[in-house]
Amino acid sequence: TQLLEQSPQFLSIQEGENLTVYCNSSSIFSSLQWYRQEPGEGPVLLVTVVTGGEVKKLKRLTFQFGDARKDSSLHITAAQTGDTGLYLCAGASGEGGSEKLVFGKGTKLTVNP
Amino acid sequence: DVKVTQSSRYLVKRTGEKVFLECVQDMDHENMFWYRQDPGLGLRLIYFSYDVKMKEKGDIPEGYSVSREKKERFSLILESASTNQTSMYLCASRPRGGIAREQYFGPGTRLTVT
């Protein structure tokens, strides 16, 4: 069974601080997505990474896929209150054309003013 | 933009009732998914469908069934609702194939069974 472990589970920081959240597995994924979910809403796709070592930037957010395609990180620079939410990583295994994703349990980020 | 809509944002039902949750997507996606999300447990896949009238069980199908009569619509059915089915239900869709496999989610239905 493939698992994605996210850490930390909870993170509370002040506006302007930097932070990194992690998504780790012992399994190899063909691609990995990051989603943000606000309270009472569905997850919204932020980015997809598909190549080992790939780095993608989305304004103040930097996403990295590990060289071995087993892990990923999300770094936020100068966090803002609008970054508050649940950050989920999800991996596609690529096995047998499966359409299913493996989801981590998420990192709940609170950015305080 | 991909649009996935769910029939209700909030629903309160009684134990034993039959409950229908509807999901509609407007992007002609082949694949559709139903998840439930609970604190500490994350998203768990209930059922998914890769084509009209086709379905596959996910990780927690017990107590649920699904229906996909049209490509754009995927229904989740709770045959006899129980209190342990109180949860946030999320529908998602995506096109067939591709490496990335991003899913597009609806806003969710928060179901309370009393």
Side-chain angles (χ1 to χ4, degrees), chain B residues 2-5 22-34 48-54 67-75 91-97:
Chain B
V2 177
K3 186 91 172 177
V4 180
T5 57
E22 303 281 339
C23 175
V24 177
Q25 50 95 3
D26 67 356
M27 287 303 293
D28 203 37
H29 287 169
E30 288 81 7
N31 298 292
M32 297 187 75
F33 306 82
W34 274 108
F48 71 101
S49 168
Y50 50 91
D51 206 343
V52 175
K53 297 191 187 296
M54 306 302 286
S67 172
R68 188 141 180 230
E69 296 296 318
K70 293 185 177 181
K71 191 174 186 180
E72 67 271 18
R73 189 180 297 269
F74 191 33
S75 302
C91 175
S93 74
R94 69 168 303 274
R96 182 178 296 146

Side-chain angles (χ1 to χ4, degrees), chain A residues 93-110:
Chain A
S93 69
E95 291 174 359
S98 172
E99 295 289 349
K100 293 192 285 187
L101 292 177
V102 176
F103 280 88
K105 292 183 179 179
T107 293
K108 189 170 182 181
L109 172 66
T110 302

Side-chain angles (χ1 to χ4, degrees), chain B residues 50-109:
Chain B
Y50 50 91
D51 206 343
V52 175
K53 297 191 187 296
M54 306 302 286
K55 62 185 180 185
E56 279 199 27
K57 293 180 180 179
D59 301 318
I60 53 164
E62 297 78 18
Y64 303 94
S65 62
V66 290
S67 172
R68 188 141 180 230
E69 296 296 318
K70 293 185 177 181
K71 191 174 186 180
E72 67 271 18
R73 189 180 297 269
F74 191 33
S75 302
L76 179 69
I77 303 152
L78 285 65
E79 297 290 344
S80 177
S82 64
T83 54
N84 63 13
Q85 292 179 309
T86 290
S87 186
M88 174 71 142
Y89 289 87
L90 292 163
C91 175
S93 74
R94 69 168 303 274
R96 182 178 296 146
I99 294 176
R101 307 212 183 128
E102 302 105 333
Q103 294 184 7
Y104 299 90
F105 285 85
T109 295

Side-chain angles (χ1 to χ4, degrees), chain A residues 6-76:
Chain A
Q6 287 191 243
S7 62
Q9 190 176 353
F10 299 96
L11 189 55
S12 180
I13 61 170
Q14 295 300 121
E15 203 167 23
E17 291 183 11
N18 301 332
L19 67 112
T20 302
V21 298
Y22 300 92
C23 178
N24 295 298
S25 178
S26 57
S27 304
I28 297 172
F29 292 96
S30 60
S31 69
L32 197 138
Q33 292 96 49
W34 284 91
Y35 296 83
R36 180 169 64 213
Q37 184 178 20
E38 298 188 9
E41 300 292 333
V44 175
L45 180 69
L46 295 174
V47 78
T48 298
V49 285
V50 296
T51 306
E54 183 176 4
V55 177
K56 280 192 173 178
K57 293 195 174 187
L58 186 66
K59 297 183 180 177
R60 294 174 294 100
L61 279 61
T62 302
F63 304 85
Q64 185 160 8
F65 201 12
D67 291 341
R69 290 185 287 128
K70 293 182 178 181
D71 55 83
S72 182
S73 63
L74 158 59
H75 182 79
I76 301 179

